[in-house]
Amino acid sequence: SVSLDDKINLWKDAVSHDRISWIQVIDSAGFKTSKTRELYHVLNVPTLFLIDRNGKIVSVNPKLDDVEKYIKAY
């Protein structure tokens, strides 16, 4: 996950509180000035990208069923 928060301490607290167990990084520039947001054309938060083993974006904002089908296929 990539967070677009600009308040690092609040982000760290949320990661801890929500017990996020997957890799979580932050673009601390914040949503408005984030280069990450610009590069990936993120218009809303959250935005989910399904990325394959080769790093290719397979789907943007897929439904859970679509994610499960993709995972089972590979």
Side-chain angles (χ1 to χ4, degrees):
S1 296
V2 178
S3 174
L4 300 177
D5 291 306
D6 58 357
K7 295 180 176 62
I8 294 173
N9 289 337
L10 293 177
W11 165 73
K12 286 181 180 180
D13 290 345
V15 170
S16 176
H17 179 265
D18 295 341
R19 297 182 182 173
I20 296 175
S21 60
W22 57 86
I23 295 171
Q24 176 73 219
V25 296
I26 187 170
D27 178 346
S28 61
F31 186 85
K32 291 181 181 178
T33 59
S34 168
K35 295 293 182 194
T36 304
R37 183 190 60 76
E38 289 179 26
L39 288 169
Y40 288 91
H41 307 285
V42 174
L43 302 175
N44 301 301
V45 173
T47 297
L48 176 68
F49 292 92
L50 181 58
I51 301 171
D52 71 10
R53 293 178 183 165
N54 298 314
K56 180 182 173 192
I57 297 173
V58 177
S59 181
V60 178
N61 292 322
K63 295 179 181 174
L64 182 57
D65 290 346
D66 295 334
V67 173
E68 290 173 344
K69 287 177 190 175
Y70 184 83
I71 290 171
K72 287 179 183 176
Y74 294 92

